[in-house]
Amino acid sequence: EKMPVFVKLEDYQELTSLLSQTVEKLKKARELLEEIKELKKQEDEELENWEKDLDEAEEKIQEINNTLTEPDT
């Protein structure tokens, strides 16, 4: 059986204010988390591009090296 809970009106108002502030802070934290996730996604894409560029540069250097070191036939 539920019993009524009695609190002072000012305590109740303070509690609802704190709850409201907490909800707003959680909302802000969620927004920041989404921003961080988007930045990480962009960073990962940029790192993949750099890796691709390095792979291509290594291939080209290897081709040049093979051409220079192969005997003329």
Side-chain angles (χ1 to χ4, degrees):
E1 159 181 353
K2 291 186 177 184
M3 300 282 294
V5 177
F6 296 97
V7 293
K8 291 181 185 176
L9 181 59
E10 54 194 39
D11 290 344
Y12 175 79
Q13 289 172 336
E14 183 178 336
L15 177 62
T16 56
S17 175
L18 286 172
L19 286 173
S20 178
Q21 290 173 20
T22 302
V23 167
E24 287 303 313
K25 287 182 181 188
L26 286 171
K27 188 186 300 185
K28 182 65 176 172
R30 178 68 61 187
E31 290 171 2
L32 290 172
L33 180 60
E34 291 303 316
E35 288 178 28
I36 290 169
K37 286 168 62 175
E38 180 59 31
L39 288 172
K40 183 182 180 309
K41 178 183 168 192
Q42 291 173 5
E43 183 179 69
D44 288 345
E45 290 172 359
E46 190 64 32
L47 288 172
E48 285 178 20
N49 289 335
W50 289 356
E51 185 174 24
K52 181 182 165 195
D53 291 345
L54 284 173
D55 289 344
E56 290 174 2
E58 286 175 336
E59 287 178 23
K60 288 178 183 177
I61 295 296
Q62 187 61 42
E63 287 176 16
I64 293 169
N65 191 34
N66 288 344
T67 301
L68 293 175
T69 58
E70 287 179 2
D72 290 337
T73 54

